[in-house]
Amino acid sequence: MKKRTIALVTWLGKGNYGTILQSYALYRKLEDLGYEVFFLNFFSFKSGLKSTVKYLLYLLGILRLKRKCLYFVTPKLRKVYNFQKDYYRTKEVYTKKQYERLLSETDIFITGSDQIWNTRYFFNPFYFLDFARNRKRIAYASSLGSPFIPKLYISSVKSLLSDFAYIGVREESAVNALSDLLNRDDIQQVLDPTFLLLPYDWKLLSESANIDFSLPKKYILCYLIGNNEFYFNQLKDIKEKSKIYDIIIIPAEENSEFSFMDAKIYKDAGPKEFVYLIKHATLVCTDSFHATAISINLSIDFVELLRFSDEDLNSQNSRIYDLLGHYHLAYKFYLKESDKWRNPINYIEVQTILDNDRKSSLKYLTNAIEK
């Protein structure tokens, strides 16, 4: 029996570890389930001449060489490039003929996770599968980023999502928002793809990490995306209260200059090194959804810093509130006036909930594909 062929549409990521790892996780899980999978890179036919020129450059290998050169600027980007080369299969579409072949050879299109539907950030119909014609469209853990869709895009989002056979979103707030918008009662909350992989899978991936310095016996791994001045004092307080004095900072692409006294700044971490350092940390200090998710999956202690003010219209706090609330971990938010974040996590309880969530999410995914 011929394997079903699935095209994944999501952000692959270049510098953001969470984006890279969520795309890898869904791709890997679909392969494990026995499907033929590839990533579909963004394409557009706005200019026929431009598409033709791009196609010729692609055939000549010039576009691939240019892309490779962009990735080889830093050791980190080289690791990202090699990670994607080793673990991803991608397809490019430059011509109408390639587009028609794509439709004829693909059974199902799936929009992957991350904030590809965050219209406060940007709106691109491609990530709503506007090109898929009569092929089945599925959303797996697509995120709105916030509970609200700007009025400017409500009509377009409603029209595009009405063509989806199945919609699974990452946040509970998105279930409510889209159920009301589409007048549907079948929209389901599902796990971020990084949770679909077992701790063993992440451990196996990280074993080939290449870290060129010795790790302290105990350390705080610090990964902060927000560029907030108050993070320095918060980290200082966390260090003093936890009595963990060695700190390793992986600079986020969005906050590349963050530093802390006597901390080890590790700019060369690739995706594997990122997972490895989380796995071996005594405490993870982060404002990142995916650093938090991987910490939970690997049963690592963490403390959560809030990147946004709740009053900020562009706040993405809802996804962190949903995640920690669901696993009864809201006390892990850092508060200066409270030490509750220091309380140990009952990971037996957390992993029991996660196991049930994983079964439910895999059932949603396989049913959506097979029915």
Side-chain angles (χ1 to χ4, degrees):
M1 184 177 176
K2 181 181 177 294
K3 291 182 180 180
R4 290 179 186 265
T5 301
I6 297 173
L8 275 181
V9 171
T10 186
W11 297 332
L12 299 188
K14 183 178 177 183
N16 184 288
Y17 298 101
T19 300
I20 297 165
L21 294 172
Q22 64 83 22
S23 58
Y24 162 77
L26 185 54
Y27 182 94
R28 162 74 188 278
K29 180 49 65 175
L30 288 168
E31 278 197 326
D32 288 349
L33 291 171
Y35 300 110
E36 192 76 30
V37 192
F38 63 90
F39 286 113
L40 179 62
N41 284 332
F42 171 75
F43 66 87
S44 171
F45 297 125
K46 288 182 180 178
S47 166
L49 177 61
K50 188 175 180 180
S51 294
T52 302
V53 170
K54 273 190 170 184
Y55 180 52
L56 290 173
L57 292 174
Y58 174 75
L59 288 178
L60 292 169
I62 295 172
L63 283 184
R64 279 170 286 183
L65 179 61
K66 179 183 177 183
R67 188 175 300 155
K68 186 174 181 178
C69 289
L70 288 173
Y71 273 94
F72 272 57
V73 173
T74 66
K76 170 189 172 178
L77 290 179
R78 286 198 291 274
K79 288 176 180 175
V80 171
Y81 175 86
N82 288 325
F83 182 83
Q84 294 179 343
K85 178 172 66 70
D86 291 343
Y87 294 106
Y88 294 174
R89 187 165 73 97
T90 61
K91 280 192 179 181
E92 310 273 355
V93 172
Y94 295 103
T95 66
K96 291 288 177 67
K97 186 176 180 180
Q98 285 181 313
Y99 172 53
E100 296 297 337
R101 188 184 308 126
L102 169 75
L103 293 176
S104 68
E105 294 176 352
T106 306
D107 298 306
I108 297 164
F109 290 91
I110 298 181
T111 55
S113 181
D114 223 340
Q115 298 182 66
I116 55 173
W117 291 353
N118 185 348
T119 51
R120 288 189 177 278
Y121 176 63
F122 91 136
F123 171 69
N124 187 337
F126 177 80
Y127 294 99
F128 291 84
L129 307 181
D130 69 327
F131 58 86
R133 288 190 188 165
N134 63 341
R135 290 303 188 201
K136 181 187 276 189
R137 308 177 199 195
I138 297 169
Y140 184 84
S142 301
S143 174
L144 300 178
S146 73
F148 307 105
I149 301 169
K151 288 183 180 179
L152 177 64
Y153 299 114
I154 286 178
S155 177
S156 297
V157 170
K158 183 175 182 179
S159 175
L160 288 163
L161 292 186
S162 66
D163 291 323
F164 275 69
Y166 293 87
I167 299 177
V169 290
R170 195 172 66 185
E171 285 84 39
E172 184 180 353
S173 53
V175 174
N176 299 329
L178 294 183
S179 295
D180 291 342
L181 177 67
L182 303 174
N183 193 27
R184 288 174 62 162
D185 60 6
D186 63 337
I187 296 173
Q188 186 172 328
Q189 183 182 10
V190 293
L191 286 175
D192 182 85
T194 58
F195 283 120
L196 293 180
L197 298 187
L198 296 169
Y200 172 79
D201 298 317
W202 289 116
K203 177 179 179 292
L204 197 63
L205 178 74
S206 70
E207 281 179 352
S208 55
N210 180 20
I211 297 174
D212 57 4
F213 62 93
S214 298
L215 297 183
K217 287 185 178 180
K218 294 173 62 178
Y219 64 89
I220 297 173
L221 178 69
C222 187
Y223 179 66
L224 296 167
I225 296 176
N227 189 5
N228 295 316
E229 291 183 4
F230 55 79
Y231 279 171
F232 186 91
N233 287 331
Q234 291 180 346
L235 183 54
K236 183 180 178 183
D237 190 45
I238 289 167
K239 175 181 177 179
E240 290 172 354
K241 288 178 177 175
S242 67
K243 292 183 170 40
I244 304 169
Y245 301 109
D246 286 304
I247 296 177
I248 298 173
I249 294 173
I250 299 179
E253 184 180 33
E254 302 85 347
N255 187 17
S256 59
E257 299 305 314
F258 181 76
S259 62
F260 189 78
M261 47 190 177
D262 300 325
K264 167 69 177 177
I265 310 296
Y266 183 46
K267 292 186 176 182
D268 297 346
K272 294 180 182 179
E273 290 73 26
F274 183 77
V275 176
Y276 186 92
L277 288 170
I278 289 177
K279 184 182 181 306
H280 291 86
T282 312
L283 179 68
V284 173
C285 178
T286 191
D287 62 358
S288 155
F289 177 92
H290 284 106
T292 306
I294 291 171
S295 298
I296 293 171
N297 201 351
L298 294 175
S299 297
I300 304 299
D301 194 14
F302 68 93
V303 56
E304 192 76 34
L305 307 191
L306 270 182
R307 194 190 320 172
F308 302 93
S309 163
D310 287 334
E311 286 71 42
D312 186 345
L313 290 177
N314 295 314
S315 170
Q316 298 167 17
N317 290 344
S318 61
R319 59 194 185 135
I320 299 292
Y321 290 143
D322 281 358
L323 177 65
L324 298 195
H326 182 71
Y327 293 108
H328 308 154
L329 294 172
Y331 63 91
K332 298 304 289 186
F333 283 110
Y334 171 82
L335 293 172
K336 185 178 181 181
E337 61 274 14
S338 170
D339 286 351
K340 287 184 178 179
W341 59 267
R342 296 177 59 194
N343 292 347
I345 298 172
N346 181 352
Y347 266 119
I348 294 175
E349 177 186 314
V350 170
Q351 293 298 340
T352 299
I353 301 171
L354 179 52
D355 284 343
N356 290 330
D357 291 341
R358 192 178 283 120
K359 290 172 185 174
S360 173
S361 293
L362 285 172
K363 182 179 179 181
Y364 162 83
L365 185 58
T366 53
N367 282 348
I369 293 169
E370 297 296 336
K371 284 188 176 180

mmCIF file of all heavy atoms in Angstrom, residues 43 45 95-104 106-107 109 128-137 160 162-165:
data_model
loop_
_atom_site.group_PDB
_atom_site.id
_atom_site.type_symbol
_atom_site.label_atom_id
_atom_site.label_comp_id
_atom_site.label_asym_id
_atom_site.label_seq_id
_atom_site.Cartn_x
_atom_site.Cartn_y
_atom_site.Cartn_z
ATOM 1 N N PHE A 43 6.271 29.815 -1.588
ATOM 2 C CA PHE A 43 6.381 30.184 -2.996
ATOM 3 C C PHE A 43 5.258 31.148 -3.364
ATOM 4 O O PHE A 43 4.218 31.209 -2.702
ATOM 5 C CB PHE A 43 6.350 28.946 -3.905
ATOM 6 C CG PHE A 43 5.029 28.197 -3.890
ATOM 7 C CD1 PHE A 43 3.995 28.542 -4.734
ATOM 8 C CD2 PHE A 43 4.836 27.130 -3.019
ATOM 9 C CE1 PHE A 43 2.792 27.851 -4.722
ATOM 10 C CE2 PHE A 43 3.638 26.424 -2.994
ATOM 11 C CZ PHE A 43 2.606 26.789 -3.855
ATOM 12 N N PHE A 45 3.610 33.259 -7.107
ATOM 13 C CA PHE A 45 3.704 33.473 -8.555
ATOM 14 C C PHE A 45 3.296 34.894 -8.935
ATOM 15 O O PHE A 45 2.672 35.126 -9.961
ATOM 16 C CB PHE A 45 2.815 32.479 -9.316
ATOM 17 C CG PHE A 45 3.220 31.055 -9.134
ATOM 18 C CD1 PHE A 45 2.320 30.120 -8.676
ATOM 19 C CD2 PHE A 45 4.508 30.641 -9.406
ATOM 20 C CE1 PHE A 45 2.682 28.791 -8.507
ATOM 21 C CE2 PHE A 45 4.886 29.319 -9.231
ATOM 22 C CZ PHE A 45 3.977 28.397 -8.794
ATOM 23 N N THR A 95 7.722 27.191 -10.655
ATOM 24 C CA THR A 95 6.956 27.311 -11.896
ATOM 25 C C THR A 95 5.555 26.716 -11.711
ATOM 26 O O THR A 95 5.310 25.920 -10.811
ATOM 27 C CB THR A 95 7.658 26.558 -13.037
ATOM 28 O OG1 THR A 95 7.649 25.149 -12.752
ATOM 29 C CG2 THR A 95 9.098 27.037 -13.198
ATOM 30 N N LYS A 96 4.656 27.085 -12.628
ATOM 31 C CA LYS A 96 3.293 26.557 -12.582
ATOM 32 C C LYS A 96 3.296 25.036 -12.799
ATOM 33 O O LYS A 96 2.484 24.317 -12.207
ATOM 34 C CB LYS A 96 2.433 27.239 -13.653
ATOM 35 C CG LYS A 96 2.151 28.705 -13.379
ATOM 36 C CD LYS A 96 1.162 28.866 -12.228
ATOM 37 C CE LYS A 96 0.933 30.338 -11.897
ATOM 38 N NZ LYS A 96 0.245 31.087 -12.961
ATOM 39 N N LYS A 97 4.226 24.566 -13.612
ATOM 40 C CA LYS A 97 4.319 23.119 -13.853
ATOM 41 C C LYS A 97 4.695 22.393 -12.568
ATOM 42 O O LYS A 97 4.125 21.337 -12.243
ATOM 43 C CB LYS A 97 5.352 22.852 -14.948
ATOM 44 C CG LYS A 97 5.424 21.393 -15.368
ATOM 45 C CD LYS A 97 6.405 21.200 -16.522
ATOM 46 C CE LYS A 97 6.471 19.735 -16.929
ATOM 47 N NZ LYS A 97 7.429 19.521 -18.055
ATOM 48 N N GLN A 98 5.656 22.938 -11.821
ATOM 49 C CA GLN A 98 6.033 22.344 -10.538
ATOM 50 C C GLN A 98 4.856 22.381 -9.559
ATOM 51 O O GLN A 98 4.652 21.451 -8.779
ATOM 52 C CB GLN A 98 7.219 23.093 -9.941
ATOM 53 C CG GLN A 98 8.551 22.812 -10.596
ATOM 54 C CD GLN A 98 9.672 23.585 -9.925
ATOM 55 O OE1 GLN A 98 9.549 24.783 -9.673
ATOM 56 N NE2 GLN A 98 10.765 22.901 -9.621
ATOM 57 N N TYR A 99 4.104 23.465 -9.604
ATOM 58 C CA TYR A 99 2.947 23.621 -8.721
ATOM 59 C C TYR A 99 1.900 22.551 -9.004
ATOM 60 O O TYR A 99 1.375 21.912 -8.082
ATOM 61 C CB TYR A 99 2.369 25.018 -8.910
ATOM 62 C CG TYR A 99 1.061 25.275 -8.215
ATOM 63 C CD1 TYR A 99 0.898 25.030 -6.857
ATOM 64 C CD2 TYR A 99 -0.028 25.776 -8.928
ATOM 65 C CE1 TYR A 99 -0.312 25.280 -6.215
ATOM 66 C CE2 TYR A 99 -1.238 26.034 -8.303
ATOM 67 C CZ TYR A 99 -1.373 25.768 -6.948
ATOM 68 O OH TYR A 99 -2.576 26.023 -6.328
ATOM 69 N N GLU A 100 1.611 22.323 -10.275
ATOM 70 C CA GLU A 100 0.625 21.301 -10.646
ATOM 71 C C GLU A 100 1.110 19.915 -10.228
ATOM 72 O O GLU A 100 0.328 19.082 -9.763
ATOM 73 C CB GLU A 100 0.357 21.339 -12.152
ATOM 74 C CG GLU A 100 -0.287 22.632 -12.648
ATOM 75 C CD GLU A 100 -1.665 22.880 -12.064
ATOM 76 O OE1 GLU A 100 -2.324 21.908 -11.627
ATOM 77 O OE2 GLU A 100 -2.096 24.050 -12.024
ATOM 78 N N ARG A 101 2.411 19.671 -10.374
ATOM 79 C CA ARG A 101 2.968 18.380 -9.963
ATOM 80 C C ARG A 101 2.865 18.215 -8.452
ATOM 81 O O ARG A 101 2.564 17.134 -7.946
ATOM 82 C CB ARG A 101 4.421 18.261 -10.406
ATOM 83 C CG ARG A 101 4.998 16.850 -10.181
ATOM 84 C CD ARG A 101 6.472 16.758 -10.544
ATOM 85 N NE ARG A 101 6.724 17.248 -11.875
ATOM 86 C CZ ARG A 101 7.606 18.189 -12.185
ATOM 87 N NH1 ARG A 101 8.332 18.751 -11.233
ATOM 88 N NH2 ARG A 101 7.777 18.572 -13.434
ATOM 89 N N LEU A 102 3.126 19.301 -7.723
ATOM 90 C CA LEU A 102 2.994 19.274 -6.260
ATOM 91 C C LEU A 102 1.599 18.840 -5.852
ATOM 92 O O LEU A 102 1.431 17.958 -4.997
ATOM 93 C CB LEU A 102 3.296 20.670 -5.688
ATOM 94 C CG LEU A 102 2.940 20.885 -4.213
ATOM 95 C CD1 LEU A 102 3.954 20.193 -3.314
ATOM 96 C CD2 LEU A 102 2.875 22.386 -3.887
ATOM 97 N N LEU A 103 0.580 19.419 -6.470
ATOM 98 C CA LEU A 103 -0.800 19.083 -6.124
ATOM 99 C C LEU A 103 -1.139 17.643 -6.488
ATOM 100 O O LEU A 103 -1.863 16.962 -5.756
ATOM 101 C CB LEU A 103 -1.764 20.051 -6.820
ATOM 102 C CG LEU A 103 -1.717 21.510 -6.354
ATOM 103 C CD1 LEU A 103 -2.639 22.364 -7.194
ATOM 104 C CD2 LEU A 103 -2.094 21.623 -4.880
ATOM 105 N N SER A 104 -0.614 17.170 -7.595
ATOM 106 C CA SER A 104 -0.941 15.807 -8.033
ATOM 107 C C SER A 104 -0.220 14.748 -7.196
ATOM 108 O O SER A 104 -0.716 13.627 -7.053
ATOM 109 C CB SER A 104 -0.584 15.631 -9.517
ATOM 110 O OG SER A 104 0.822 15.680 -9.711
ATOM 111 N N THR A 106 0.800 15.181 -3.884
ATOM 112 C CA THR A 106 0.635 15.370 -2.435
ATOM 113 C C THR A 106 -0.789 15.018 -2.025
ATOM 114 O O THR A 106 -1.753 15.509 -2.616
ATOM 115 C CB THR A 106 0.948 16.822 -2.038
ATOM 116 O OG1 THR A 106 2.250 17.172 -2.509
ATOM 117 C CG2 THR A 106 0.885 17.001 -0.532
ATOM 118 N N ASP A 107 -0.908 14.172 -1.018
ATOM 119 C CA ASP A 107 -2.242 13.769 -0.544
ATOM 120 C C ASP A 107 -2.824 14.767 0.446
ATOM 121 O O ASP A 107 -4.029 15.049 0.427
ATOM 122 C CB ASP A 107 -2.155 12.391 0.127
ATOM 123 C CG ASP A 107 -1.687 11.312 -0.835
ATOM 124 O OD1 ASP A 107 -2.312 11.170 -1.897
ATOM 125 O OD2 ASP A 107 -0.696 10.629 -0.533
ATOM 126 N N PHE A 109 -1.995 18.424 2.984
ATOM 127 C CA PHE A 109 -1.171 19.558 3.409
ATOM 128 C C PHE A 109 -1.455 19.837 4.884
ATOM 129 O O PHE A 109 -2.621 19.930 5.289
ATOM 130 C CB PHE A 109 -1.481 20.799 2.580
ATOM 131 C CG PHE A 109 -1.020 20.702 1.159
ATOM 132 C CD1 PHE A 109 -1.865 20.213 0.162
ATOM 133 C CD2 PHE A 109 0.260 21.080 0.802
ATOM 134 C CE1 PHE A 109 -1.446 20.116 -1.151
ATOM 135 C CE2 PHE A 109 0.702 20.986 -0.515
ATOM 136 C CZ PHE A 109 -0.157 20.504 -1.492
ATOM 137 N N PHE A 128 -1.875 29.628 5.600
ATOM 138 C CA PHE A 128 -3.240 29.138 5.767
ATOM 139 C C PHE A 128 -3.608 28.202 4.605
ATOM 140 O O PHE A 128 -4.773 27.901 4.393
ATOM 141 C CB PHE A 128 -4.230 30.300 5.823
ATOM 142 C CG PHE A 128 -4.135 31.150 7.067
ATOM 143 C CD1 PHE A 128 -3.208 32.183 7.152
ATOM 144 C CD2 PHE A 128 -4.972 30.918 8.150
ATOM 145 C CE1 PHE A 128 -3.126 32.972 8.291
ATOM 146 C CE2 PHE A 128 -4.895 31.703 9.302
ATOM 147 C CZ PHE A 128 -3.965 32.733 9.367
ATOM 148 N N LEU A 129 -2.588 27.793 3.846
ATOM 149 C CA LEU A 129 -2.738 26.822 2.757
ATOM 150 C C LEU A 129 -3.693 27.297 1.669
ATOM 151 O O LEU A 129 -4.501 26.519 1.141
ATOM 152 C CB LEU A 129 -3.184 25.459 3.308
ATOM 153 C CG LEU A 129 -2.334 24.874 4.428
ATOM 154 C CD1 LEU A 129 -2.884 23.513 4.853
ATOM 155 C CD2 LEU A 129 -0.872 24.735 4.009
ATOM 156 N N ASP A 130 -3.597 28.559 1.311
ATOM 157 C CA ASP A 130 -4.513 29.114 0.309
ATOM 158 C C ASP A 130 -4.305 28.517 -1.081
ATOM 159 O O ASP A 130 -5.162 28.645 -1.960
ATOM 160 C CB ASP A 130 -4.356 30.637 0.241
ATOM 161 C CG ASP A 130 -3.019 31.071 -0.342
ATOM 162 O OD1 ASP A 130 -2.022 30.366 -0.120
ATOM 163 O OD2 ASP A 130 -2.970 32.125 -1.010
ATOM 164 N N PHE A 131 -3.213 27.839 -1.308
ATOM 165 C CA PHE A 131 -2.836 27.297 -2.618
ATOM 166 C C PHE A 131 -3.273 25.847 -2.811
ATOM 167 O O PHE A 131 -3.065 25.266 -3.886
ATOM 168 C CB PHE A 131 -1.306 27.357 -2.763
ATOM 169 C CG PHE A 131 -0.599 26.596 -1.681
ATOM 170 C CD1 PHE A 131 -0.365 25.234 -1.800
ATOM 171 C CD2 PHE A 131 -0.213 27.229 -0.503
ATOM 172 C CE1 PHE A 131 0.256 24.518 -0.791
ATOM 173 C CE2 PHE A 131 0.411 26.518 0.508
ATOM 174 C CZ PHE A 131 0.646 25.161 0.364
ATOM 175 N N ALA A 132 -3.845 25.211 -1.780
ATOM 176 C CA ALA A 132 -4.003 23.752 -1.754
ATOM 177 C C ALA A 132 -5.176 23.217 -2.577
ATOM 178 O O ALA A 132 -5.360 21.997 -2.673
ATOM 179 C CB ALA A 132 -4.128 23.269 -0.308
ATOM 180 N N ARG A 133 -5.975 24.092 -3.142
ATOM 181 C CA ARG A 133 -7.119 23.703 -3.968
ATOM 182 C C ARG A 133 -7.996 22.670 -3.248
ATOM 183 O O ARG A 133 -8.455 22.908 -2.149
ATOM 184 C CB ARG A 133 -6.646 23.186 -5.324
ATOM 185 C CG ARG A 133 -6.103 24.281 -6.242
ATOM 186 C CD ARG A 133 -5.891 23.754 -7.647
ATOM 187 N NE ARG A 133 -5.195 24.728 -8.459
ATOM 188 C CZ ARG A 133 -4.634 24.436 -9.628
ATOM 189 N NH1 ARG A 133 -4.721 23.196 -10.106
ATOM 190 N NH2 ARG A 133 -4.005 25.357 -10.317
ATOM 191 N N ASN A 134 -8.192 21.493 -3.883
ATOM 192 C CA ASN A 134 -9.125 20.509 -3.304
ATOM 193 C C ASN A 134 -8.436 19.477 -2.423
ATOM 194 O O ASN A 134 -9.051 18.481 -2.035
ATOM 195 C CB ASN A 134 -9.893 19.798 -4.426
ATOM 196 C CG ASN A 134 -8.962 18.999 -5.340
ATOM 197 O OD1 ASN A 134 -7.759 19.238 -5.357
ATOM 198 N ND2 ASN A 134 -9.523 18.076 -6.119
ATOM 199 N N ARG A 135 -7.157 19.680 -2.108
ATOM 200 C CA ARG A 135 -6.458 18.739 -1.247
ATOM 201 C C ARG A 135 -6.854 18.950 0.217
ATOM 202 O O ARG A 135 -7.199 20.058 0.629
ATOM 203 C CB ARG A 135 -4.940 18.896 -1.390
ATOM 204 C CG ARG A 135 -4.387 18.420 -2.728
ATOM 205 C CD ARG A 135 -4.761 16.978 -2.973
ATOM 206 N NE ARG A 135 -4.109 16.409 -4.135
ATOM 207 C CZ ARG A 135 -4.553 15.337 -4.781
ATOM 208 N NH1 ARG A 135 -5.656 14.741 -4.363
ATOM 209 N NH2 ARG A 135 -3.905 14.864 -5.813
ATOM 210 N N LYS A 136 -6.790 17.851 0.987
ATOM 211 C CA LYS A 136 -7.156 17.949 2.396
ATOM 212 C C LYS A 136 -6.197 18.875 3.123
ATOM 213 O O LYS A 136 -4.974 18.801 2.950
ATOM 214 C CB LYS A 136 -7.128 16.568 3.048
ATOM 215 C CG LYS A 136 -7.527 16.610 4.532
ATOM 216 C CD LYS A 136 -7.328 15.270 5.225
ATOM 217 C CE LYS A 136 -8.500 14.367 5.014
ATOM 218 N NZ LYS A 136 -8.412 13.142 5.872
ATOM 219 N N ARG A 137 -6.767 19.746 3.975
ATOM 220 C CA ARG A 137 -5.967 20.688 4.764
ATOM 221 C C ARG A 137 -6.176 20.396 6.249
ATOM 222 O O ARG A 137 -7.314 20.276 6.708
ATOM 223 C CB ARG A 137 -6.381 22.131 4.472
ATOM 224 C CG ARG A 137 -6.383 22.458 2.995
ATOM 225 C CD ARG A 137 -6.856 23.865 2.701
ATOM 226 N NE ARG A 137 -7.261 23.990 1.319
ATOM 227 C CZ ARG A 137 -7.457 25.135 0.679
ATOM 228 N NH1 ARG A 137 -7.281 26.273 1.334
ATOM 229 N NH2 ARG A 137 -7.825 25.161 -0.579
ATOM 230 N N LEU A 160 -10.288 31.553 4.894
ATOM 231 C CA LEU A 160 -9.223 30.577 4.672
ATOM 232 C C LEU A 160 -9.399 29.327 5.531
ATOM 233 O O LEU A 160 -9.215 28.204 5.068
ATOM 234 C CB LEU A 160 -7.863 31.218 4.952
ATOM 235 C CG LEU A 160 -7.390 32.243 3.916
ATOM 236 C CD1 LEU A 160 -6.272 33.107 4.492
ATOM 237 C CD2 LEU A 160 -6.919 31.539 2.643
ATOM 238 N N SER A 162 -12.112 28.105 6.711
ATOM 239 C CA SER A 162 -13.323 27.339 6.403
ATOM 240 C C SER A 162 -13.030 26.165 5.472
ATOM 241 O O SER A 162 -13.834 25.233 5.358
ATOM 242 C CB SER A 162 -14.376 28.259 5.765
ATOM 243 O OG SER A 162 -13.933 28.721 4.492
ATOM 244 N N ASP A 163 -11.869 26.188 4.819
ATOM 245 C CA ASP A 163 -11.495 25.097 3.916
ATOM 246 C C ASP A 163 -10.717 23.978 4.610
ATOM 247 O O ASP A 163 -10.339 23.001 3.962
ATOM 248 C CB ASP A 163 -10.650 25.644 2.756
ATOM 249 C CG ASP A 163 -11.468 26.519 1.808
ATOM 250 O OD1 ASP A 163 -12.649 26.189 1.584
ATOM 251 O OD2 ASP A 163 -10.933 27.522 1.308
ATOM 252 N N PHE A 164 -10.477 24.123 5.905
ATOM 253 C CA PHE A 164 -9.722 23.097 6.634
ATOM 254 C C PHE A 164 -10.650 21.969 7.079
ATOM 255 O O PHE A 164 -11.707 22.221 7.663
ATOM 256 C CB PHE A 164 -9.039 23.703 7.856
ATOM 257 C CG PHE A 164 -7.708 24.335 7.561
ATOM 258 C CD1 PHE A 164 -7.622 25.500 6.813
ATOM 259 C CD2 PHE A 164 -6.529 23.755 8.021
ATOM 260 C CE1 PHE A 164 -6.394 26.080 6.530
ATOM 261 C CE2 PHE A 164 -5.297 24.326 7.734
ATOM 262 C CZ PHE A 164 -5.233 25.492 6.984
ATOM 263 N N ALA A 165 -10.211 20.737 6.827
ATOM 264 C CA ALA A 165 -10.988 19.578 7.280
ATOM 265 C C ALA A 165 -10.861 19.410 8.786
ATOM 266 O O ALA A 165 -11.832 19.056 9.470
ATOM 267 C CB ALA A 165 -10.514 18.319 6.564
#
